[in-house]
Amino acid sequence: MSQVERTLIMLKPSCIERGLVGEILSRFEKKGLKIIQMKFLKMSRQMVEELYSVHKGKNFYETLVETLEGRRIVAIVVEGRKAIDVVRKLIGSTDPALAEPGTIRGDLAIEIPDNLIHASDSPESYKREYLIFFKEEELQTT
Ligand code: CMP
């Protein structure tokens, strides 16, 4: 199996509140991605700012922070062939109103910035985002 990689997925608070965690996990598993790590945690302001540092100053930034700060999310690491691109395709376009039917946002979301789910967009983002949610020593090597 070539080009196996890992990516970081965050299920946003609305995902937990709407009871969609199982539905979304099953979509990744059915595709063939392997869940390597998963945990619930509450997002501090610092974590949100780290995750979305590239968006600081944009007109939606404060609303985006409000959808996450002090609220529970699920952080997940999945592994599989071309996992970064595969996961982003399964998730669909950033704006759920434009996301294709069949994708997670296309089927299950309509709002923005509260668009249900986030995933890393590159190997560099994965490395950076992993350390926002997990500790280096938690890294699963098998
Ligand atoms: P996410 O995949 O978590 O990555 C960045 C987030 O910023 C994105 O999902 C949305 O929640 C938010 N976002 C990006 N673009 C916009 C926009 N034009 N308006 C509102 N929110 C946005």
Side-chain angles (χ1 to χ4, degrees):
M1 196 168 45
S2 60
Q3 293 171 282
V4 173
E5 58 189 12
R6 290 181 180 186
T7 192
L8 185 287
I9 298 165
M10 176 181 72
L11 304 187
K12 298 186 180 185
S14 53
C15 201
I16 300 173
E17 286 154 16
R18 291 176 55 202
L20 294 173
V21 174
E23 152 95 31
I24 291 174
L25 286 178
S26 86
R27 290 185 180 215
F28 293 129
E29 287 193 307
K30 282 181 198 156
K31 177 68 180 170
L33 292 158
K34 193 170 164 192
I35 298 170
I36 300 288
Q37 282 175 277
M38 183 161 79
K39 69 167 139 180
F40 280 86
L41 51 92
K42 202 176 263 195
M43 292 286 277
S44 65
R45 173 96 193 184
Q46 191 189 350
M47 290 169 79
V48 182
E49 288 189 345
E50 272 178 58
L51 183 65
Y52 290 127
S53 54
V54 294
H55 296 295
K56 195 158 189 165
K58 293 186 182 165
N59 60 357
F60 58 83
Y61 181 74
E62 280 309 320
T63 323
L64 175 62
V65 172
E66 277 166 26
T67 65
L68 290 157
E69 186 182 357
R71 300 174 69 196
R72 283 198 330 144
I73 60 91
V74 190
I76 304 158
V77 177
V78 298
E79 182 181 88
R81 188 164 165 267
K82 301 188 183 183
I84 292 172
D85 283 349
V86 167
V87 165
R88 287 179 69 85
K89 281 211 179 85
L90 290 174
I91 287 176
S93 300
T94 302
D95 183 346
L98 305 176
E100 292 293 322
T103 64
I104 291 168
R105 287 175 178 147
D107 290 347
L108 305 172
I110 195 160
E111 299 297 335
I112 192 164
D114 189 5
N115 56 1
L116 214 54
I117 185 163
H118 166 86
S120 307
D121 63 4
S122 65
E124 296 70 34
S125 301
Y126 164 64
K127 278 189 198 126
R128 189 179 72 78
E129 293 175 0
Y130 178 87
L131 291 173
I132 297 173
F133 299 100
F134 298 93
K135 297 188 181 75
E136 187 91 57
E137 59 268 26
E138 287 180 88
L139 192 68
Q140 303 296 309
T141 51
T142 54

